[in-house]
Each structure stands twice: as structure tokens, then as C-alpha cells.
Amino acid sequence: MAGDSLRILQVLRAPVGGLFRHVADLTRALAAKGHSVGVVVDSMANDAQTEGLLRALEADAVLGIHRLPMPRLFGRADLKTPFAVSALAQKLKIDILHGHGAKGGFYARLAAYGRGKAKVFYTPHGGVLHFPADKASGRLFHRIERLLMSKTSAIIFESRYAEKTYSALIGAPTCRSAVIHNGLRPEEFVPVEPVQGAADFVFVGELRDLKGIFPLVEALSRVSRPDGLPADLVMAGDGPDRAALEARLAELGIAEKVKLVGSRPAREVFAMGRNAVVPSLAESLPYVVMEAAAARLPVISTQVGGIGEIFGPTADSLIPAGNVEALSQAMTNILADPAGAQREMLTRLAHIEAGFSVAHMAQSIEALYLDPQKPAV
């Protein structure tokens, strides 16, 4: 390592979703700080979308984007890929190996065997936490986690919720651990102005039961504006329960009050509504809650996963998951008192600006890289 300039290899499996967004944001921020970064991804996840995302990252990943076979579950490649990652790390003279997700963490830590120089970091991102302890696959992954702790310089959790869940399933980390929240880019804090005729509410997410779409539309059917007219909703996204959702809207008689606009960029959709609703039945640390709040939308959400950490001083307004009555009341209240909703939004925004920016995330992770024993920023 030359001074404080590090040579870093980020290891993950599929370059999609929130996990890849985190790695991409971290790679760009670390590159801007003068570090040299490379990325290892699954060679089998190479559709048009992933290729486009990886090409966009090439300029900041100066140590290259490397593709190696990484099966989702166990496969033959699991016997070879750790050696390939180790050889790559030696060739690139890597100082820091950082594995993301169950497979990325598995490969990064196995690759460190025999390499005394490199520090090894691991961020679960849910990953291994999704494997239940009452199934053989879960027990195997959890046992591997315990064995690999001795090769881990630090485990970085994206939320206190993830840290708590990890400790309950696997055991308290025997290595250093830190909670460092995911963050938003500066442009995501630019206010979004609602378009003319914006709906009362907007939902952005996958159209599946786990996202709370059915309690949402049932709650909407009970909500009226202060002038007595029924409230309306824009829903963006697609998913396996779209047909069932459309059938439910027809049953409730509110199909004309709900506009399904398909998958679109979140900020584009935020402009279509005045208030965001995130009624999920389960989550980890969803970006959409941070994004909506940063765009200056009041947000109604459920008390699941790490959402309370995002809401911070406004967490008392979170509602129980799947509770239609509580959701409809929260939606009615926000329409009845828009000034109060704006005040709460500004309080939440200040909390997110302070602790949920890419700059804060990257600074905290960089500090751990440089000194794993030093408390996180």
C-alpha cells in the first residue's frame, strides 16, 4: 500500500439490484478518493442489463471488471473460483478484499487463505440471512459463516436490523463489526416537483404480495380527500402478482383510481404523486424509502426491517405491516394535514442527509479499510 492509497477488489455475484448499486456507488466514491478498485462478478449473469451496468462502471474500476463462474447455490465452480480470486488478488497486488452477499463473502474470505497481506471485509446484504436455519442449505451456509469469521477483518452491516438478524441466526461476530448504512448520491437529494394532476399517493416497487400491495389497495378504497372525493394512487413496477392486483382493484371498484405505469425510474414516478407509500410486509433497508424522502415526499411506511433506522426521529409514525385499518388511517391523516406531513418530511430529510449519503458511507468504509480496529465514522 502506497501511503493511504489502497488497491481494492470488490467481489459479488450478480450485478443487479440494491447490492450492485451499493458496490457501484462505493467503487465510484473510493476511486474519487484516489484508491484503485477492481470488481469481480459472476460470468453467468451477463444479460443486456447487467452488461450495461458494468460498462458504466468501467471508468472507475481501474483494476478491471473480472468475470468468474459463481453459481447461486453450490456448484463445481465453488471449488475453483476462490483459487481464481486469490490468484487475481495476487496478480493485482490487492490490499483489500471486500466480499458482498453470501457468495461474494464466501469467495473473498476463502481467497485470503495463504495471503497474509490482504485485509478481508464482508457485507452480507441479506444474503446468508435469507437461508433459514431449519433447512440443510441454511445450516450449511451458517456453519461456513462461523468458520470464515477467523479470516474476516470486519463484517459491515448495512443496518442494525441486519446485524441483529445475523447474530440471531449465526451468532455474534467474533471479528470486528460495524453498522454503516447505505447512502444516496447528491443528485438524489434534489427536490422532485409534482406534475400537474399528480395523484394523492405513489407506490414504487415490485408488484408482489410481499411488498404489501394488497393491503395498500384495500386501504385506498377506504380513503377520501378532505373534499370528500376518493383518493387516487399511481403504482410503478411489475411483478408476478400484477394480474391478481388488477383483479383485486376491480373487486374493490377502484380500478379507475389506480394507475399502473409499469417499471420506470423512481424519481420520474415520484413526480406523479404527492405522498409515497411503502407498505412492505418484509424488508431489509430499502432504497426506495430513502429515495422518496430525499426527493421531498412525505412517506407512509411499515415498521419492518431497518425502515425505522431510516425514519429516525419520525419512526413513531411507522405502522404495523399488513394492518389495513392503520394504513388507511395514516393515508387519511396525511391528506387532512399536509402541513404536518411536510414538517415531518423535513425532520426525516435532515436525518437521512446526515447519515445516509454515499459520501458518509464511503468515508466510514474507507476508515475501516485503513484501520479495522478503529471505530467506524
Side-chain angles (χ1 to χ4, degrees):
M1 163 187 338
D4 285 345
S5 178
L6 299 169
R7 296 177 69 81
I8 304 162
L9 195 61
Q10 307 282 352
V11 186
L12 67 154
R13 196 182 70 82
V16 295
L19 190 159
F20 179 69
R21 175 191 163 141
H22 169 86
V23 172
D25 285 344
L26 181 59
T27 295
R28 293 186 173 104
L30 291 170
K33 288 172 171 286
H35 302 297
S36 300
V37 186
V39 178
V40 178
V41 297
D42 180 15
S43 60
M44 298 181 281
N46 58 353
D47 59 23
Q49 179 186 8
T50 59
E51 287 302 309
L53 291 170
L54 291 171
R55 280 196 301 272
L57 192 59
E58 285 177 351
D60 296 289
V62 297
L63 296 182
I65 294 175
H66 308 270
R67 295 166 172 83
L68 296 170
M70 301 182 185
R72 183 175 178 275
L73 297 176
F74 284 109
R76 289 184 179 180
D78 291 323
L79 302 176
K80 297 180 179 180
T81 296
F83 294 102
V85 173
S86 180
L88 179 64
Q90 292 182 53
K91 177 182 176 182
L92 296 175
K93 297 180 171 60
I94 293 299
D95 302 305
I96 302 291
L97 276 163
H98 190 161
H100 299 264
K103 275 305 178 76
F106 176 66
Y107 293 136
R109 291 177 289 177
L110 282 182
Y113 276 92
R115 281 189 48 80
K117 176 185 175 185
K119 299 173 186 174
V120 186
F121 297 80
Y122 168 48
T123 303
H125 295 282
V128 70
L129 307 182
H130 294 155
F131 292 90
D134 61 352
K135 293 190 176 179
S137 59
R139 289 192 295 271
L140 179 57
F141 270 115
H142 296 168
R143 179 172 174 76
I144 290 171
E145 281 292 322
R146 296 183 192 103
L147 292 172
L148 291 177
M149 279 189 198
S150 64
K151 296 302 295 183
T152 309
S153 300
I155 300 177
I156 301 171
F157 297 101
E158 75 275 17
S159 67
R160 287 187 293 277
Y161 166 77
E163 180 183 45
K164 181 179 178 181
T165 304
Y166 185 96
S167 295
L169 283 174
I170 295 158
T174 55
C175 61
R176 171 85 164 90
S177 67
V179 174
I180 300 175
H181 292 117
N182 293 335
L184 299 179
R185 299 181 288 269
E187 62 270 22
E188 293 178 286
F189 286 95
V190 176
V192 169
E193 295 296 330
V195 299
Q196 186 173 3
D200 297 305
F201 301 100
V202 62
F203 165 91
V204 179
E206 190 177 6
L207 300 185
R208 60 176 175 136
D209 180 66
L210 193 66
K211 295 298 181 181
I213 58 175
F214 296 107
L216 172 58
V217 296
E218 186 170 342
L220 181 75
S221 71
R222 306 180 186 186
V223 178
S224 297
R225 301 169 182 165
D227 61 8
L229 293 174
D232 56 359
L233 167 70
V234 168
M235 299 185 76
D238 215 332
D241 292 327
R242 176 166 181 150
L245 174 64
E246 291 174 333
R248 184 60 179 147
L249 291 173
E251 291 172 1
L252 292 168
I254 58 170
E256 74 284 357
K257 290 297 176 182
V258 180
K259 186 176 183 181
L260 303 177
V261 298
S263 296
R264 299 195 189 186
R267 287 176 63 83
E268 176 185 323
V269 181
F270 291 151
M272 301 179 186
R274 299 185 182 277
N275 305 283
V277 188
V278 184
S280 301
L281 306 183
E283 286 287 359
S284 179
L285 193 78
Y287 271 104
V288 68
V289 176
M290 292 185 277
E291 291 168 338
R296 309 298 201 272
L297 269 70
V299 182
I300 296 170
S301 189
T302 46
Q303 178 65 282
V304 295
I307 293 178
E309 297 168 50
I310 302 172
F311 265 52
T314 66
D316 286 347
S317 67
L318 292 169
I319 61 174
N323 189 318
V324 172
E325 182 177 351
L327 181 54
S328 64
Q329 188 61 59
M331 294 167 76
T332 298
N333 292 346
I334 212 168
L335 295 181
D337 185 14
Q342 286 294 310
R343 288 192 297 271
E344 181 178 302
M345 176 273 291
L346 291 173
T347 300
R348 185 177 304 125
L349 175 65
H351 172 71
I352 292 171
E353 286 177 326
F356 293 82
S357 68
V358 166
H360 183 271
M361 177 188 79
Q363 178 187 0
S364 300
I365 292 175
E366 179 192 40
L368 264 184
Y369 284 171
L370 292 168
D371 185 358
Q373 300 308 314
K374 185 177 180 180
V377 178

